[in-house]
Amino acid sequence: MEYIGQGSGAWKPAVSAGGGSSKRWDPSLRGSALIGLAGLLAAIVFAWHSFRSTVPEAPSCISYQQTSCLLKFDGDRDYQGPPCAPVDCAFSTQELGCPFPAGGTFTRRPKADPAAQCQDPFLEATRRSLLPPCSEACCDGGVTGSFQPGDTGLPGSQTWQPRSANCSFFPYSSSEVLHHLQASKARIVVMGDSMMKQLHSRLVHMFRGSSRVIDYTMYASARYSLCRAADSFAVAEGGYQKNVRGVKPPAVLEGVPAFFGASPAAPGCAAGDPVVAIDSMFSAWYTWQVTHLKAYREAMPAGEKLILVTAVNFLEKGGEVGQEWMQYLESIRNEVKVILVSTPTGRTKNEDALKRLRGRNKAMKEWAEGLPEVSFVDFDAMTRDPHRPPGGEHDIHWMCWLRWAPQEGGGAHALAVPGQANNVLRERQGGQAVAGIHSTSDGQCRDEMDLNVWQVIFNCFMKS
């Protein structure tokens, strides 16, 4: 098992490239006499490994230019006030323009170029070793973690790191993640509830370098297609009623082969620049997940590898993990890289619910122990760390999201320009307009927490 982040570690402040402070999760063991020696040895190993295996690439910064839009905010009005609730947004929606590009292109500029905006390290096109030193020690079940001052490039950012004297998580860049997926012919599917849907949305924003991240709040399948030159984001037709329990929603299931079986594509991706798929499938209960995942795998093209990122499920009422789901994961763990994400529990007030959630988290962790094919990311521990990034609501949702208006036309505070071709999301939502933004508690809409979860996930699968 690779076990990330249980119980301890800390968020610590850091100075970002843009001049602001930031935080990162750090598993370093403060006060240990071994830190200096271990760090020196790790640096020597890393330098030697990098010398032997690094693919040279000129230092550069990646910028993103949208070419089409799924939904556009009205640029003539400032929606900084009432449409943002329960907290006013700390920015104007005028600066967002199109928060949901349907597609765009990437430009790589040398760092020496004055036009290069390299404030986000994730967008640096610096390819390093794909085998960081001490990686196995960092993923050991006994290693805990904490948030430390970070280098995410966001104001006030923090980075989660293991609390260990001889290892730290490797800060992967977008180029490295994309290169790994292309070279290994792998795709990612994120499956679970709204927490996991926001996790998928956060990764899209990471690749695009968005400084303000907002979830589109639609319970439908989605695909993000990506190559070095361009990307494309698509929301599937159809959805389902959020509150349906105990059934396999046909609108999701019937659309799996047609939507996910197609090869990923993005205009602007040339031959020799493979397009990778990063998919999202809302499947919030164990009774759905086996059927959905089977259909998804059957629709996959032959020869592709699958990285499954899935949650322990907040919405489940029972105290046990579904046995059919566990048996299916057991049967595919040698074919699929399984990454389990625990459910945050820190703000759950109901004692029965708290017992159920922590019981399921514990059961999934114990199942993963001893299985090198399975990783367990302790999101629960990250959200309960006293130095965690700001903004979370109930420790589940760390991203701002759209509030859809039920009436046609959207009313007095409609944010989307009505009747425009770029409002694809309105069409998917049955003609509803956007009434406002549900803001996080800090009003910043940066979602540093899910950014850190992804960096931990990268450390789970980039070594394999």
Side-chain angles (χ1 to χ4, degrees), residues 144-164:
T144 56
S146 61
F147 281 105
Q148 306 293 334
D151 54 2
T152 64
L154 298 176
S157 73
Q158 298 145 304
T159 300
W160 179 267
Q161 284 287 349
R163 180 177 286 140
S164 172

Side-chain angles (χ1 to χ4, degrees), residues 106 122-123 172-174 177-178 181 187-190 196-210 213 224 226 231 233 276-279 307 309 399 447 450-455 457-458 461:
F106 297 99
F122 186 68
L123 296 181
Y172 288 102
S173 70
S174 62
V177 176
L178 176 59
L181 295 173
R187 64 165 64 185
I188 299 173
V189 61
V190 182
M196 301 304 289
K197 190 178 73 66
Q198 287 196 356
L199 190 66
H200 177 267
S201 183
R202 187 64 180 93
L203 184 57
V204 176
H205 284 291
M206 286 171 67
F207 275 108
R208 290 172 166 176
S210 306
V213 295
Y224 182 52
L226 175 71
D231 74 349
F233 183 81
V276 301
I278 301 175
D279 294 331
I307 299 168
V309 181
M399 183 180 292
D447 187 13
D450 285 321
L451 181 151
N452 273 274
V453 173
W454 273 114
Q455 282 292 354
I457 291 172
F458 297 154
F461 73 76

Side-chain angles (χ1 to χ4, degrees), residues 391-464:
E393 180 181 57
H394 308 305
D395 289 338
I396 298 292
H397 298 127
W398 295 79
M399 183 180 292
C400 295
W401 69 84
L402 294 181
R403 292 187 290 107
W404 292 95
Q407 70 273 25
E408 178 63 30
H413 294 304
L415 298 184
V417 180
Q420 299 294 319
N422 57 16
N423 286 310
V424 176
L425 294 182
R426 288 191 71 222
E427 299 171 6
R428 294 287 191 273
Q429 197 69 3
Q432 294 176 325
V434 177
I437 297 173
H438 185 106
S439 57
T440 47
S441 61
D442 61 348
Q444 294 289 341
C445 296
R446 295 193 184 277
D447 187 13
E448 235 185 299
M449 179 64 79
D450 285 321
L451 181 151
N452 273 274
V453 173
W454 273 114
Q455 282 292 354
V456 174
I457 291 172
F458 297 154
N459 276 266
C460 290
F461 73 76
M462 292 283 284
K463 303 184 302 300
S464 57

Side-chain angles (χ1 to χ4, degrees), residues 178 182 186 224-228 230 263-266 269-270 273-277 304:
L178 176 59
Q182 289 178 324
Y224 182 52
S225 302
L226 175 71
C227 70
R228 282 177 56 84
S263 297
C269 295
D273 187 10
V275 184
V276 301
E304 285 194 8

Side-chain angles (χ1 to χ4, degrees), residues 64 126 140 179-180 205 216 293 320 380 400 409:
Y64 181 73
T126 304
D140 183 77
H179 174 75
H180 178 85
H205 284 291
Y216 51 93
L293 189 55
E320 303 293 332
D380 185 26
C400 295

Side-chain angles (χ1 to χ4, degrees), residues 220-264:
S221 299
R223 163 162 287 178
Y224 182 52
S225 302
L226 175 71
C227 70
R228 282 177 56 84
D231 74 349
S232 175
F233 183 81
V235 178
E237 297 280 357
Y240 68 93
Q241 293 298 316
K242 179 179 176 182
N243 294 323
V244 174
R245 295 179 184 274
V247 297
K248 301 175 179 66
V252 174
L253 185 58
E254 292 173 4
V256 167
F259 187 72
F260 292 123
S263 297

Side-chain angles (χ1 to χ4, degrees), residues 22-282:
S22 65
K23 289 186 180 180
R24 63 186 177 87
W25 179 256
D26 195 340
S28 59
L29 185 62
R30 286 164 288 188
S32 171
L34 297 176
I35 292 178
L37 177 60
L40 177 61
L41 292 175
I44 294 172
V45 173
F46 176 61
W48 173 245
H49 186 83
S50 298
F51 173 77
R52 297 182 61 197
S53 63
T54 298
V55 180
E57 183 171 315
S60 63
C61 301
I62 302 171
S63 60
Y64 181 73
Q65 302 81 39
Q66 71 173 60
T67 56
S68 56
C69 189
L70 288 174
L71 180 141
K72 185 175 177 62
F73 283 173
D74 189 340
D76 296 330
R77 290 191 284 175
D78 182 353
Y79 295 108
Q80 187 168 3
C84 290
V87 177
D88 285 352
C89 291
F91 57 93
S92 169
T93 55
Q94 288 177 318
E95 73 183 63
L96 294 175
C98 174
F100 306 102
T105 59
F106 297 99
T107 301
R108 288 166 168 78
R109 292 187 174 92
K111 288 185 179 180
D113 186 341
Q117 299 291 322
C118 204
Q119 296 181 0
D120 184 351
F122 186 68
L123 296 181
E124 292 181 3
T126 304
R127 186 170 299 135
R128 295 158 292 198
S129 164
L130 294 183
L131 291 173
C134 302
S135 59
E136 293 306 318
C138 292
C139 294
D140 183 77
V143 174
T144 56
S146 61
F147 281 105
Q148 306 293 334
D151 54 2
T152 64
L154 298 176
S157 73
Q158 298 145 304
T159 300
W160 179 267
Q161 284 287 349
R163 180 177 286 140
S164 172
N166 61 354
C167 67
S168 62
F169 290 144
F170 195 67
Y172 288 102
S173 70
S174 62
S175 292
E176 292 164 316
V177 176
L178 176 59
H179 174 75
H180 178 85
L181 295 173
Q182 289 178 324
S184 59
K185 296 182 179 180
R187 64 165 64 185
I188 299 173
V189 61
V190 182
M191 187 169 70
D193 51 22
S194 59
M195 181 184 79
M196 301 304 289
K197 190 178 73 66
Q198 287 196 356
L199 190 66
H200 177 267
S201 183
R202 187 64 180 93
L203 184 57
V204 176
H205 284 291
M206 286 171 67
F207 275 108
R208 290 172 166 176
S210 306
S211 59
R212 308 289 184 183
V213 295
I214 300 175
D215 184 36
Y216 51 93
T217 327
M218 294 177 64
Y219 297 93
S221 299
R223 163 162 287 178
Y224 182 52
S225 302
L226 175 71
C227 70
R228 282 177 56 84
D231 74 349
S232 175
F233 183 81
V235 178
E237 297 280 357
Y240 68 93
Q241 293 298 316
K242 179 179 176 182
N243 294 323
V244 174
R245 295 179 184 274
V247 297
K248 301 175 179 66
V252 174
L253 185 58
E254 292 173 4
V256 167
F259 187 72
F260 292 123
S263 297
C269 295
D273 187 10
V275 184
V276 301
I278 301 175
D279 294 331
S280 172
M281 185 160 52
F282 194 95

